[in-house]
Amino acid sequence: MQKVVLFGECMLELRQSEANTMHRSFAGDVFNTAVYQKRAFAQQQVSFMTALGQDVLSQQLVDNCKAEGLNCDLVRYSTSHNPGIYLVQTDAQGERSFLYWRENSAARQAMKLLDEEVRNQVCKADVFFFSGISLAILAREDRALFWQFLNEVQKAGVTIAFDPNYRARLWESAEDARQQFALAFTASSMVLPGIEDFSVLYGLNELKDIVAFCEPFNIKELVIKNGGNSVFCRAGDFELTQAVKPVAKVVDTTSAGDSFNGVYLGARLAGYDIGQAIELAASAAGLVIQFPGAIIPNENFKALIDQQILAFEHLAK
Ligand code: ADP
C-alpha cells in the first residue's frame, strides 16, 4: 500500500452561521490536503502527523480525522497544550477576516513529542509532505530537531514534498521565512508553491524568474499554481503549462491550493502522469472554491473525482 505522511496543524474553525450561533469544523492547510488526498485515493494510506492535547476538542478532532479515513497513528498528545482555534468572520461586502488563537497550540510542540515509533513509521513512507505553515508554527527552539528529522527521512529514501504557503503573520520576519524556506527547498524533491508565495516573499512575479530561482535546488518536480490562470510544471527536461478551466462563480478560495496539493500528490503516487495529475487536481480545486469553507461535502467531491478518473481509464483503454 502506498503511504503518505502529512505533517502540520489542524485547528477548530468557528464560523458565524446565524445570529449567536457558531458553525464549527476542523481545518488547517496540511490537514485539508490530507483529507482531499484520501477522498480522491482511498486505496492510499494517508497519515496525518501532528500533536494534539488530552482534551475533548482533541478527541473530536481525531474522530473527525478518522471519519475522513486518515491514519492517526502518528498523532502525539501533549499533557500541557491544546489545539488551536480560529474564527472566520465575513463582513457585509463578503470579505473574510480571520482571528487566531494558536500561539500556544499543541501542534507547536510536535517535535518535542517525536518518538522512535513516529521516526520509524515516517521513514517507511513513500512521501512526506509539509508546508511553510508547518514550519512557521514550530517552536523556534525545535527547528533544529525538525531539520535533523527531515534529513533522516530523506536519507531513508522518502520523497519530500513541500508547499511554502507563505503567511507573513506567522513569521518573525520575511528573512526568517526565507532562511527556513531555503532549507526546505534544499531538502525537497517535489515543491508545490503558489505564484503569490514568490511575489510576496522574494519579489518575483514572473514564472521564468521563479523557475530560475528554483534552478539551483535539486527539485525534481516543481509545480507552480497560478490561481485561476494556469499551472506550470517542470520535471527535469519536461515542461508543461496547463490552462485552468474558469469557474463561473467563486464562492470561497479557502483550501484551493490545499485540495490541489492533496489530489496532485495522490495522483502522482497512483501513477498518473504530470498532465493528468494537474488536470485532476485543478478540477478538484475548481470545485472546492464553489463551496464555503475548507472542506466541502464529500458527495460533491467524490462525484467529480470518480467521473474524471473513469474518463482517464476510458482514455487509457
Ligand atoms: P495557492 O492557494 O496555493 O496560492 P492558487 O490560488 O493558485 O493556490 O489556487 C490553487 C488551484 O486552485 C489553482 O491551481 C487552480 O487549479 C484552482 N483555482 C484557484 N483559483 C481559481 C479560479 N478563480 N478559477 C478556477 N480555478 C481556480
Side-chain angles (χ1 to χ4, degrees):
M1 186 192 262
Q2 292 146 332
K3 294 181 178 163
V4 181
V5 175
L6 300 101
F7 171 61
E9 178 172 30
C10 183
M11 289 167 285
L12 173 70
E13 182 193 270
L14 295 174
R15 186 182 285 266
Q16 185 99 33
S17 51
E18 302 152 24
N20 293 327
T21 308
M22 290 281 182
H23 176 264
R24 34 167 297 164
S25 53
F26 294 102
D29 68 330
V30 172
F31 166 80
N32 306 338
T33 297
V35 166
Y36 287 116
Q37 179 173 356
K38 183 68 186 178
R39 284 183 176 187
F41 296 95
Q43 71 276 23
Q44 297 173 356
Q45 185 191 75
V46 180
S47 300
F48 184 47
M49 175 180 162
T50 194
L52 297 170
Q54 295 184 341
D55 50 274
V56 65
L57 199 57
S58 296
Q59 188 54 54
Q60 291 171 0
L61 206 154
V62 167
D63 291 345
N64 184 259
C65 287
K66 288 184 179 164
E68 287 287 351
L70 301 181
N71 179 297
C72 294
D73 293 351
L74 306 178
V75 177
R76 290 296 176 266
Y77 300 89
S78 162
T79 50
S80 49
H81 294 71
N82 306 319
I85 301 177
Y86 70 100
L87 173 69
V88 190
Q89 283 171 300
T90 311
D91 68 15
Q93 282 72 44
E95 276 297 312
R96 286 173 304 131
S97 62
F98 299 86
L99 198 56
Y100 289 93
W101 293 265
R102 75 191 307 189
E103 300 74 23
N104 204 24
S105 72
R108 292 186 182 256
Q109 308 301 317
M111 283 301 115
K112 290 191 182 69
L113 298 165
L114 189 73
D115 54 31
E116 275 311 295
E117 171 64 12
V118 174
R119 285 175 193 276
N120 290 339
Q121 289 307 319
V122 179
C123 285
K124 286 185 200 150
D126 297 289
V127 178
F128 177 81
F129 174 85
F130 69 113
S131 78
I133 298 179
S134 322
L135 273 179
I137 61 136
L138 273 188
R140 213 185 157 89
E141 70 272 15
D142 292 344
R143 280 180 180 174
L145 268 177
F146 175 77
W147 293 116
Q148 206 179 13
F149 161 70
L150 198 72
N151 191 258
E152 269 173 49
V153 175
Q154 188 196 29
K155 283 205 174 114
V158 180
T159 296
I160 310 289
F162 174 66
D163 179 348
N165 239 343
Y166 178 58
R167 298 287 182 274
R169 74 172 146 226
L170 293 178
W171 293 93
E172 204 175 277
S173 65
E175 185 46 34
D176 186 31
R178 283 192 286 264
Q179 279 176 12
Q180 292 296 298
F181 285 6
L183 297 175
F185 293 142
T186 305
S188 304
S189 54
M190 191 188 267
V191 176
L192 303 151
I195 224 166
E196 218 184 306
D197 292 325
F198 282 92
S199 63
V200 180
L201 195 55
Y202 302 96
L204 301 174
N205 301 305
E206 302 291 329
L207 199 62
K208 65 173 181 14
D209 296 331
I210 299 173
V211 174
F213 174 93
C214 292
E215 199 63 46
F217 301 102
N218 192 20
I219 301 169
K220 300 217 164 50
E221 204 161 314
L222 174 66
V223 181
I224 305 174
K225 295 159 278 178
N226 187 10
N229 305 305
S230 59
V231 180
F232 169 86
C233 178
R234 171 178 280 190
D237 292 336
F238 175 86
E239 241 186 53
L240 175 75
T241 304
Q242 203 147 303
V244 166
K245 285 197 196 92
V247 165
K249 189 164 181 284
V250 177
V251 173
D252 179 356
T253 56
T254 306
S255 208
D258 308 335
S259 54
F260 181 98
N261 290 347
V263 174
Y264 186 84
L265 282 176
R268 293 293 287 141
L269 204 55
Y272 289 95
D273 67 30
I274 289 172
Q276 287 177 322
I278 291 178
E279 203 179 322
L280 200 60
S283 44
L287 181 74
V288 167
I289 61 177
Q290 296 178 55
F291 290 82
I295 306 292
I296 72 167
N298 195 15
E299 61 268 26
N300 302 77
F301 184 80
K302 280 293 282 173
L304 178 93
I305 294 290
D306 290 351
Q307 184 192 32
Q308 200 147 345
I309 286 180
L310 219 64
F312 284 154
E313 282 168 5
H314 188 71
L315 269 178
K317 276 180 193 154

